[in-house]
Every structure is written in structure tokens, then in C-alpha cells.
Amino acid sequence: MEAIMAENKGRTKGETMRNSSEWVLEDRGADQFLVNRQVFISDDILQKEWDVIFRTCWIYIGHGSEIRNPGDFRTRKVAGRQMIFCRDKDGAVRAMLNVCPHRGALVCREREGNARGFFCMYHGWTFQTDGSLRSGPGLDAYGPKFDKASHGLVQAPRLEHYRDFYFINFDPNAVSLSDYLAGAKEYIDIVVDQSPSGQMEIVSGTQEYDIKANWKLLVENSVDDYHIITTHSTWINYMSNSGVDMRRPKGSLLPSLGAGKNLGNGHLTTDNPNYRGRPVARWISVYGEEAKEDIDNIRAELVARLGEARAARVADTNRNLVIFPNLVINDGSSVTVRNFTPVSPGLMKVTSWALGPVEETEAQRARRLHAFLTFYGPGGFATPDDVAALEAAQEGYAAWREAPWNDLSRGMYKSEDDQLDTDEGHIRTFWRRWKDLMETAA
Ligand code: FES
Ligand code: FE
């Protein structure tokens, strides 16, 4: 490893690294795990990520609650492709390319709505909600061999869901979504168990913002509890001044106490005791005295339905769950479903939604949305500070030739089972998966 590091350090301007085995270096003997900063700034590497990671992994497209009724649709860019996520007139969920089979124009230019079909504004072809070609001006002119059936919208090769979270895959031979999700399913189950009926819904309204940083930095940041005490000192001071005991454990101010977990296939999570309250079933003073009885009642329902131990698992723990490669479910003071996509090596687009049980009352929903807005929101306590940290790191990577390595070795001397959320063990599992996929492609 030292030899490779020394060699790369001496490389001259314009020279690229030789192969992907040099991007992530792991030396278990030396308890050292390094990621080359070129992976955050290289156009070639991003192109390879599009070809490999975003084409062969299961990529989140949306939640079933967003398209409840036949004809409901959402358009969004997923894995770099313009997609229509909709429920067709027969009630089947569809994921189709928003690309006209004629000459490629978008066939739906609305972000969301309810439609009886889709209309291409360029030459006027129209499509059913299942993607089949319905009509077009003068289609006879194509002659008798024109096959209408083969001129429908292209369906995503694979579309599967788990607990109403829908994912697509452009690799027809990919493993099932269930196998792909591996240990992440257990954590999705904990999130969904908040709802008495097992039905969660995306709350109307979307947060969208750009971060001038590489998309993989948000994977790391979403589960990096090492940064909390410094990056989020404003929030910690606010919470402490609001009467919340932020000292964990034994008087330490470091808010770590949970675990960082490898869930298989590149998925990972933090798994922490809750100390900052949950709108579902864990009251703290910042919610106000008037909310206490309501929150206690929610907890009683959880205990009656799930038993004491499972209720405590749902109510008294938080998790920031990363589904490889680009979906994060933050389940803490609110539930945030956060999706992010690269635009260029140094720019990503972030979209996030609040998720909540369908049964929530107006007051309960208001508490949830308040937390969604004030903590993880783009103007909240957490996100602006995270964005500043990520953009500062991205700035630093311009000097990748002279200062080539990120160090992710924290906690590496310990076993996998002993990794804290403030260690970097769970983040290493992301990088190992990333490296495996990129090397397979090479
Ligand atoms: Fe759509 Fe021509 S590009 S009808
Ligand atoms: Fe943060």
C-alpha cells in the first residue's frame, strides 16, 4: 500500500490512475482504509458509476402512496434517466422511460398529476397509462408493416417493491429486490412498524436542493456520527439550552452510543438509542407539555400491538439507513426519505420527502413536519451545516494529486460487531461494495 501511495503522490498533472483497484486501499494488518480523492472529481469515474452502479443496482423510484389512484403519476429522473412512475388505469404500478419511441421527446412534462394518458407535444403521439401507443396523427403513413404494439414506452426492465418502497433495475438479470436488500429489510420493517396498519405515506411536499459535492459524500455524511459534535454544535447547544440532556454516555458530550452496522450488499445503518425524542412514541420537552399525553397514547398503542420489546425498538431507537447506492431513510425525530443523484462529479441533486403513518392526526402530523423542516430540511439545524462540510471537502479534493487520500480507518482495529456509529466501519462497507462493482466492470 505504501508503495502505491508513494507512486500516486508523484504522479504529474493530467495523469490518471491506472485501475480501480487503486481507488480504495484496505490494509487490515495496518488497520488502514484509504479512498483516493480522485473518485470524487473524475468524469471518467462518474461515467463508470452510471454504467455500472446505476445500471445494475436497484435504484429507488418512489413510494406507492405517491400514486394511490389509477392514472396518478410522478415524473422524476432516476439513475440518470427520465422516468414516469405511475399507476395505470387497471391499478398496476409502472415505471417507464419518459422518452417518446418516435424521436425521443418527453411524453410527460408535468411533475405530477392524474392522467388518462400521455401526450408527446412534438408530433402528437399519445400513450395509455400502461405505456402502450394509443394513437398519433397520420400513423397510416408508416405503412402496413408498422407495428403499433412495439412502439410503446419502454418499461423499466425490473420494478419491484418492499413495504411500498419501489425500486427499478436496468439489469434484467439482477437478483430479486428482496435478496438485494438483504439486512436492510429488518430496518425498513422497524420504520413501517410505526403505523398501526403497516401503511406509511409520503407527506405531500418535496424538498429539493443542490450540493456542490460528489454524491458519495452524502452517503458517508448521512451515517457519519463522528461529525455531529463539531459540525452540529449549533444544534447541540440549542437542544441543551432547551433542556434536553445531550450527554452520552457517562457525562461525555459525544452523542455516540450506538452501533454502525453492515447490512450486506453495500447497505448500512446507524442503530442508536434515541435521546432527542420521536414524534411517534417518545416524548421530550421540546414537543411541549400539551403533546405528552398524545405521544404517550401512541406508545401505548405500539406496546399493545407489538409487545414491550418491539415497541421499545421502534420508539426508543433511531437509524440512518443507507440503501446502496443512493437512498437514505433517516428515522429519528421525523422520517426522511432522501434520494440523491449526481449531475457531475462535483454536484448532486437531493430530493427528500417526509414519511409518516397514514393514521396520524393533524397535530401528530404537524409535529412530524416541524421536525422534518427544522432538522433535516435544507434550512434546518442539520442540513446547512452538513452541506457546508461536504462542499468544503469537495473544495479540498482539487488538490488530489498532492494530497490524494481520505482516511476511513476509524475503529478498524476492532471487530465488525464492535463498530460504533462514530467509527467508520459501516462507511467502509459502502466503499467495499463500490469497489467490488467498479472492479467487476473494469
Ligand atoms: Fe414524440 Fe415525435 S417525438 S411524437
Ligand atoms: Fe450531519
Side-chain angles (χ1 to χ4, degrees), residues 59-63 76 78 83-85 95 159 166-168:
I59 308 294
Y60 181 69
I61 185 165
H63 192 267
R76 49 187 57 146
V78 183
M83 301 294 302
I84 300 173
F85 176 55
L159 168 68
Y166 281 81
F167 295 77
I168 58 174

Side-chain angles (χ1 to χ4, degrees), residues 319-337:
R319 61 229 107 244
N320 285 5
L321 169 66
V322 171
I323 311 283
F324 188 95
N326 67 334
L327 173 67
V328 173
I329 301 175
N330 294 312
D331 183 18
S333 53
S334 63
V335 185
T336 302
V337 178

Side-chain angles (χ1 to χ4, degrees), residues 100-105 107 120-125 127:
C100 183
H102 179 222
R103 300 254 288 277
V107 300
C120 179
M121 54 82 77
Y122 197 1
H123 307 93
W125 288 18
F127 303 86

Side-chain angles (χ1 to χ4, degrees), residues 400-415:
W400 70 271
R401 291 181 186 83
E402 296 76 26
W405 300 103
N406 270 4
D407 190 312
L408 289 148
S409 313
R410 192 173 162 86
M412 202 166 163
Y413 68 96
K414 297 182 289 189
S415 77

Side-chain angles (χ1 to χ4, degrees), residues 4 8 11 16-25 36 38-39 45 48 405 434-435 438-439 442:
I4 293 174
N8 284 326
R11 283 200 169 139
T16 53
M17 301 187 73
R18 285 175 306 195
N19 62 59
S20 55
S21 64
E22 297 176 3
W23 294 331
V24 178
L25 302 181
N36 193 283
Q38 193 182 21
V39 307
I45 290 173
K48 189 170 279 196
W405 300 103
W434 182 89
K435 177 180 153 103
M438 297 293 271
E439 280 187 359

